[in-house]
Amino acid sequence: MATLHGLDDPEVQPLMQKMNADTWDPRIDRNMLRPPERYIYVFTVSPREFVVDRPPLWIKFRLRGCPKGERYALVTRIPDPLMQKVHNTDTGKFRGEAHDGLRCTIDLLNPNNPTNDPDWNAAPEMAAYFSTSRGSDLFAQGLFVSLNPTPSEEEIRRAEQRRERYYRALMAQADELEATDRPGLQAMLKGEEGTDLRMALDYFGEQREYHKPMVPTIDCPNCGEPIKKNMAFHKSTALGGMLCILDWQKAVMAGVKNKSDVPEELRWWGEEAPVKRAVARPRPS
Ligand SMILES: [Zn+2]
């Protein structure tokens, strides 16, 4: 009869230790191999992607952004407890250490937050945004945690509110710099916050002198002036302010030209269709 040797088997243990002495302590705590009790789900409402690099727990950990057209996206799920491989400097071996999954997740999203409340320290938030640790609060960016694989409406809404609060604070700061400290504004635009500031302006549909929506232009095939793509007609400086028509049908529909203005060869309507004559039905015989 075959015998299954467990890791704590008196015969197996010395052999395993001998073979793995430098790399791994084979006397494995079975808690390390236990399935997690639950998962902490991380979601985002921000299109921005983040990389958290804070070893040993988070090594170049990529947190994806919310795809266009979606309200929120699942970023990752953190097991609870979260096991960490810890180097024992006395023995040179590794051992496992169990951490509270929720605490680790909160720390991942905001290392300044020592609590389990994502909204902790709400009152001095302005100081937190603009202090030396600025930029490390991903809750403010729209990331959020839930104990459920599908977040509740309330959880999504609060994440959206946190993001909006951060964006408003950024815009207020940029407006103040624009009025009082132009080099300061330039520095802000070049940095990480510049990315967020532009996202904030787009989010609220706001424009500033330094941030205007960019529209690709083409050269008009008629007059050669730069125009927006897919324009049916435009006022042309090259033609002395005259309307330059690219699509006569649309120009007539928009009421800027009459049907009689349309060049013969471009008339899309044919001769009036002849009135249909009633066809005599064959009489039943
Ligand atoms: Zn033109």
Side-chain angles (χ1 to χ4, degrees):
M1 199 171 108
T3 314
L4 184 66
H5 292 277
L7 288 171
D8 52 354
D9 188 282
E11 279 177 47
V12 174
Q13 208 171 349
L15 196 64
M16 289 278 280
Q17 271 177 309
K18 200 177 156 194
M19 290 169 71
N20 299 283
D22 295 332
T23 51
W24 183 253
D25 185 343
R27 289 164 298 180
I28 295 169
D29 177 355
R30 70 181 177 85
N31 283 323
M32 282 180 65
L33 306 173
R34 202 179 58 180
E37 278 168 20
R38 60 174 184 175
Y39 284 99
I40 315 296
Y41 295 87
V42 179
F43 298 93
T44 185
V45 294
S46 169
R48 197 178 153 189
E49 181 187 280
F50 296 91
V51 177
V52 175
D53 197 14
R54 286 198 298 275
L57 268 193
W58 318 116
I59 301 167
K60 292 195 167 45
F61 192 23
R62 192 169 296 276
L63 306 172
R64 74 173 184 133
C66 183
K68 215 174 177 178
E70 308 276 319
R71 190 172 172 209
Y72 68 90
L74 174 67
V75 175
T76 187
R77 53 176 203 172
I78 309 291
D80 182 30
L82 177 69
M83 298 307 300
Q84 184 190 354
K85 195 169 98 174
V86 178
H87 188 237
N88 186 334
T89 44
D90 291 336
T91 63
K93 290 174 180 174
F94 289 100
R95 63 188 164 81
E97 202 165 86
H99 297 292
D100 183 276
L102 181 58
R103 184 80 281 283
C104 288
T105 311
I106 302 268
D107 183 74
L108 166 75
L109 298 180
N110 184 8
N112 294 324
N113 186 344
T115 74
N116 282 353
D117 173 15
D119 288 314
W120 173 80
N121 204 17
E125 63 192 358
M126 295 295 282
Y129 290 154
F130 305 125
S131 67
T132 49
S133 58
R134 60 207 287 174
S136 58
D137 184 356
L138 300 186
F139 286 111
Q141 295 277 7
L143 280 92
F144 63 105
V145 293
S146 174
L147 298 180
N148 304 303
T150 306
S152 70
E153 173 62 30
E154 169 72 7
E155 287 168 332
I156 303 168
R157 206 176 47 77
R158 284 178 63 189
E160 287 169 342
Q161 284 172 349
R162 279 186 210 110
R163 183 178 171 218
E164 287 175 13
R165 211 159 56 207
Y166 169 57
Y167 280 180
R168 283 205 191 87
L170 265 185
M171 282 158 57
Q173 198 209 10
D175 287 346
E176 197 183 314
L177 285 176
E178 193 177 18
T180 59
D181 177 10
R182 305 287 292 200
L185 176 67
Q186 287 308 314
M188 182 182 181
L189 285 171
K190 275 182 205 145
E192 280 264 307
E193 277 172 354
T195 312
D196 287 345
L197 175 59
R198 289 179 192 283
M199 287 178 84
L201 292 167
D202 288 340
Y203 181 84
F204 289 110
E206 295 262 341
Q207 292 185 25
R208 294 290 184 275
E209 196 193 309
Y210 54 84
H211 184 75
K212 295 203 172 103
M214 285 193 280
V215 181
T217 58
I218 56 160
D219 291 336
C220 174
N222 291 344
C223 66
E225 271 191 9
I227 57 166
K228 282 183 211 158
K229 241 170 111 176
N230 300 326
M231 281 183 104
F233 50 87
H234 72 107
K235 204 170 180 181
S236 169
T237 330
L239 300 179
M242 264 174 58
L243 269 188
C244 172
I245 311 290
L246 290 113
D247 186 326
W248 281 94
Q249 193 165 351
K250 281 185 185 159
V252 171
M253 300 283 265
V256 297
K257 286 285 177 189
N258 294 318
K259 263 189 170 183
S260 54
D261 298 327
V262 181
E264 295 246 353
E265 64 275 20
L266 294 177
R267 293 189 174 177
W268 61 90
W269 65 94
E271 293 303 314
E272 294 299 316
V275 182
K276 271 189 186 164
R277 291 207 185 95
V279 180
R281 277 186 203 155
R283 248 181 240 163
S285 51

